[in-house]
mmCIF file with all atom_site columns, all heavy atoms in Angstrom:
data_model
loop_
_atom_site.group_PDB
_atom_site.id
_atom_site.type_symbol
_atom_site.label_atom_id
_atom_site.label_alt_id
_atom_site.label_comp_id
_atom_site.label_asym_id
_atom_site.label_entity_id
_atom_site.label_seq_id
_atom_site.pdbx_PDB_ins_code
_atom_site.Cartn_x
_atom_site.Cartn_y
_atom_site.Cartn_z
_atom_site.occupancy
_atom_site.B_iso_or_equiv
_atom_site.pdbx_formal_charge
_atom_site.auth_seq_id
_atom_site.auth_comp_id
_atom_site.auth_asym_id
_atom_site.auth_atom_id
_atom_site.pdbx_PDB_model_num
ATOM 1  N N   . MET A 1 1   ? 0.860   -1.204 0.000   1.00 0.00 ? 1   MET A N   1
ATOM 2  C CA  . MET A 1 1   ? 0.000   0.000  0.000   1.00 0.00 ? 1   MET A CA  1
ATOM 3  C C   . MET A 1 1   ? 0.889   1.245  0.000   1.00 0.00 ? 1   MET A C   1
ATOM 4  O O   . MET A 1 1   ? 1.860   1.321  0.739   1.00 0.00 ? 1   MET A O   1
ATOM 5  C CB  . MET A 1 1   ? -0.899  -0.002 1.226   1.00 0.00 ? 1   MET A CB  1
ATOM 6  C CG  . MET A 1 1   ? -1.884  1.170  1.238   1.00 0.00 ? 1   MET A CG  1
ATOM 7  S SD  . MET A 1 1   ? -2.958  1.095  2.696   1.00 0.00 ? 1   MET A SD  1
ATOM 8  C CE  . MET A 1 1   ? -3.964  -0.339 2.291   1.00 0.00 ? 1   MET A CE  1
ATOM 9  N N   . PRO A 1 40  ? -41.041 24.332 42.922  1.00 0.00 ? 40  PRO A N   1
ATOM 10 C CA  . PRO A 1 40  ? -41.992 23.525 43.700  1.00 0.00 ? 40  PRO A CA  1
ATOM 11 C C   . PRO A 1 40  ? -43.266 23.283 42.891  1.00 0.00 ? 40  PRO A C   1
ATOM 12 O O   . PRO A 1 40  ? -43.532 23.962 41.896  1.00 0.00 ? 40  PRO A O   1
ATOM 13 C CB  . PRO A 1 40  ? -42.274 24.401 44.925  1.00 0.00 ? 40  PRO A CB  1
ATOM 14 C CG  . PRO A 1 40  ? -42.082 25.791 44.427  1.00 0.00 ? 40  PRO A CG  1
ATOM 15 C CD  . PRO A 1 40  ? -40.978 25.715 43.417  1.00 0.00 ? 40  PRO A CD  1
ATOM 16 N N   . GLN A 1 91  ? -23.193 46.269 23.356  1.00 0.00 ? 91  GLN A N   1
ATOM 17 C CA  . GLN A 1 91  ? -22.033 45.398 23.215  1.00 0.00 ? 91  GLN A CA  1
ATOM 18 C C   . GLN A 1 91  ? -22.429 44.017 22.691  1.00 0.00 ? 91  GLN A C   1
ATOM 19 O O   . GLN A 1 91  ? -21.775 43.473 21.797  1.00 0.00 ? 91  GLN A O   1
ATOM 20 C CB  . GLN A 1 91  ? -21.322 45.266 24.558  1.00 0.00 ? 91  GLN A CB  1
ATOM 21 C CG  . GLN A 1 91  ? -20.631 46.543 25.026  1.00 0.00 ? 91  GLN A CG  1
ATOM 22 C CD  . GLN A 1 91  ? -20.092 46.426 26.432  1.00 0.00 ? 91  GLN A CD  1
ATOM 23 O OE1 . GLN A 1 91  ? -20.504 45.561 27.207  1.00 0.00 ? 91  GLN A OE1 1
ATOM 24 N NE2 . GLN A 1 91  ? -19.174 47.315 26.798  1.00 0.00 ? 91  GLN A NE2 1
ATOM 25 N N   . GLY A 1 116 ? 8.011   52.544 -14.125 1.00 0.00 ? 116 GLY A N   1
ATOM 26 C CA  . GLY A 1 116 ? 9.446   52.589 -13.904 1.00 0.00 ? 116 GLY A CA  1
ATOM 27 C C   . GLY A 1 116 ? 10.206  52.064 -15.098 1.00 0.00 ? 116 GLY A C   1
ATOM 28 O O   . GLY A 1 116 ? 9.629   51.651 -16.109 1.00 0.00 ? 116 GLY A O   1
ATOM 29 N N   . THR A 1 204 ? -50.141 69.824 84.539  1.00 0.00 ? 204 THR A N   1
ATOM 30 C CA  . THR A 1 204 ? -49.499 69.289 85.740  1.00 0.00 ? 204 THR A CA  1
ATOM 31 C C   . THR A 1 204 ? -48.811 70.412 86.523  1.00 0.00 ? 204 THR A C   1
ATOM 32 O O   . THR A 1 204 ? -48.814 70.425 87.776  1.00 0.00 ? 204 THR A O   1
ATOM 33 C CB  . THR A 1 204 ? -48.488 68.201 85.369  1.00 0.00 ? 204 THR A CB  1
ATOM 34 O OG1 . THR A 1 204 ? -49.138 67.200 84.586  1.00 0.00 ? 204 THR A OG1 1
ATOM 35 C CG2 . THR A 1 204 ? -47.896 67.557 86.612  1.00 0.00 ? 204 THR A CG2 1
ATOM 36 N N   . GLY A 1 211 ? -51.006 72.999 94.590  1.00 0.00 ? 211 GLY A N   1
ATOM 37 C CA  . GLY A 1 211 ? -50.830 72.090 95.713  1.00 0.00 ? 211 GLY A CA  1
ATOM 38 C C   . GLY A 1 211 ? -51.523 70.768 95.571  1.00 0.00 ? 211 GLY A C   1
ATOM 39 O O   . GLY A 1 211 ? -51.579 69.988 96.528  1.00 0.00 ? 211 GLY A O   1
ATOM 40 N N   . PHE A 1 212 ? -52.019 70.428 94.363  1.00 0.00 ? 212 PHE A N   1
ATOM 41 C CA  . PHE A 1 212 ? -52.707 69.150 94.172  1.00 0.00 ? 212 PHE A CA  1
ATOM 42 C C   . PHE A 1 212 ? -51.790 68.057 93.613  1.00 0.00 ? 212 PHE A C   1
ATOM 43 O O   . PHE A 1 212 ? -52.207 66.901 93.518  1.00 0.00 ? 212 PHE A O   1
ATOM 44 C CB  . PHE A 1 212 ? -53.902 69.328 93.225  1.00 0.00 ? 212 PHE A CB  1
ATOM 45 C CG  . PHE A 1 212 ? -54.960 70.218 93.783  1.00 0.00 ? 212 PHE A CG  1
ATOM 46 C CD1 . PHE A 1 212 ? -55.124 71.511 93.319  1.00 0.00 ? 212 PHE A CD1 1
ATOM 47 C CD2 . PHE A 1 212 ? -55.794 69.765 94.802  1.00 0.00 ? 212 PHE A CD2 1
ATOM 48 C CE1 . PHE A 1 212 ? -56.102 72.331 93.837  1.00 0.00 ? 212 PHE A CE1 1
ATOM 49 C CE2 . PHE A 1 212 ? -56.780 70.590 95.323  1.00 0.00 ? 212 PHE A CE2 1
ATOM 50 C CZ  . PHE A 1 212 ? -56.938 71.884 94.840  1.00 0.00 ? 212 PHE A CZ  1
ATOM 51 N N   . LEU A 1 232 ? -40.423 63.626 67.608  1.00 0.00 ? 232 LEU A N   1
ATOM 52 C CA  . LEU A 1 232 ? -40.977 64.403 66.500  1.00 0.00 ? 232 LEU A CA  1
ATOM 53 C C   . LEU A 1 232 ? -39.857 64.961 65.630  1.00 0.00 ? 232 LEU A C   1
ATOM 54 O O   . LEU A 1 232 ? -39.954 64.925 64.387  1.00 0.00 ? 232 LEU A O   1
ATOM 55 C CB  . LEU A 1 232 ? -41.834 65.541 67.062  1.00 0.00 ? 232 LEU A CB  1
ATOM 56 C CG  . LEU A 1 232 ? -42.376 66.554 66.042  1.00 0.00 ? 232 LEU A CG  1
ATOM 57 C CD1 . LEU A 1 232 ? -43.289 65.867 65.037  1.00 0.00 ? 232 LEU A CD1 1
ATOM 58 C CD2 . LEU A 1 232 ? -43.109 67.693 66.768  1.00 0.00 ? 232 LEU A CD2 1
ATOM 59 N N   . GLU A 1 273 ? -54.857 45.188 44.097  1.00 0.00 ? 273 GLU A N   1
ATOM 60 C CA  . GLU A 1 273 ? -54.230 43.912 44.405  1.00 0.00 ? 273 GLU A CA  1
ATOM 61 C C   . GLU A 1 273 ? -53.821 43.180 43.131  1.00 0.00 ? 273 GLU A C   1
ATOM 62 O O   . GLU A 1 273 ? -54.401 43.359 42.065  1.00 0.00 ? 273 GLU A O   1
ATOM 63 C CB  . GLU A 1 273 ? -55.173 43.043 45.240  1.00 0.00 ? 273 GLU A CB  1
ATOM 64 C CG  . GLU A 1 273 ? -55.482 43.630 46.611  1.00 0.00 ? 273 GLU A CG  1
ATOM 65 C CD  . GLU A 1 273 ? -56.311 42.699 47.475  1.00 0.00 ? 273 GLU A CD  1
ATOM 66 O OE1 . GLU A 1 273 ? -56.739 41.654 46.958  1.00 0.00 ? 273 GLU A OE1 1
ATOM 67 O OE2 . GLU A 1 273 ? -56.522 43.017 48.655  1.00 0.00 ? 273 GLU A OE2 1
ATOM 68 N N   . PRO A 1 340 ? 9.055   50.757 -30.136 1.00 0.00 ? 340 PRO A N   1
ATOM 69 C CA  . PRO A 1 340 ? 7.589   50.802 -30.237 1.00 0.00 ? 340 PRO A CA  1
ATOM 70 C C   . PRO A 1 340 ? 6.926   50.699 -28.865 1.00 0.00 ? 340 PRO A C   1
ATOM 71 O O   . PRO A 1 340 ? 7.497   50.162 -27.914 1.00 0.00 ? 340 PRO A O   1
ATOM 72 C CB  . PRO A 1 340 ? 7.270   49.599 -31.126 1.00 0.00 ? 340 PRO A CB  1
ATOM 73 C CG  . PRO A 1 340 ? 8.383   48.641 -30.872 1.00 0.00 ? 340 PRO A CG  1
ATOM 74 C CD  . PRO A 1 340 ? 9.613   49.498 -30.656 1.00 0.00 ? 340 PRO A CD  1
ATOM 75 N N   . ALA A 1 387 ? -31.307 30.876 40.886  1.00 0.00 ? 387 ALA A N   1
ATOM 76 C CA  . ALA A 1 387 ? -32.187 32.004 40.563  1.00 0.00 ? 387 ALA A CA  1
ATOM 77 C C   . ALA A 1 387 ? -33.654 31.587 40.611  1.00 0.00 ? 387 ALA A C   1
ATOM 78 O O   . ALA A 1 387 ? -34.515 32.352 41.058  1.00 0.00 ? 387 ALA A O   1
ATOM 79 C CB  . ALA A 1 387 ? -31.834 32.553 39.181  1.00 0.00 ? 387 ALA A CB  1
ATOM 80 N N   . ALA A 1 471 ? -41.291 40.723 42.490  1.00 0.00 ? 471 ALA A N   1
ATOM 81 C CA  . ALA A 1 471 ? -41.075 39.277 42.468  1.00 0.00 ? 471 ALA A CA  1
ATOM 82 C C   . ALA A 1 471 ? -41.750 38.607 41.278  1.00 0.00 ? 471 ALA A C   1
ATOM 83 O O   . ALA A 1 471 ? -41.280 37.570 40.793  1.00 0.00 ? 471 ALA A O   1
ATOM 84 C CB  . ALA A 1 471 ? -41.584 38.660 43.768  1.00 0.00 ? 471 ALA A CB  1
ATOM 85 N N   . THR A 1 501 ? -36.479 68.284 33.636  1.00 0.00 ? 501 THR A N   1
ATOM 86 C CA  . THR A 1 501 ? -37.029 68.968 34.807  1.00 0.00 ? 501 THR A CA  1
ATOM 87 C C   . THR A 1 501 ? -37.855 70.176 34.431  1.00 0.00 ? 501 THR A C   1
ATOM 88 O O   . THR A 1 501 ? -38.564 70.734 35.270  1.00 0.00 ? 501 THR A O   1
ATOM 89 C CB  . THR A 1 501 ? -35.880 69.422 35.726  1.00 0.00 ? 501 THR A CB  1
ATOM 90 O OG1 . THR A 1 501 ? -35.016 70.287 34.988  1.00 0.00 ? 501 THR A OG1 1
ATOM 91 C CG2 . THR A 1 501 ? -35.096 68.223 36.236  1.00 0.00 ? 501 THR A CG2 1
#
Side-chain angles (χ1 to χ4, degrees):
M1 184 178 290
Q91 291 173 341
T204 305
F212 295 105
L232 174 62
E273 296 185 354
T501 59

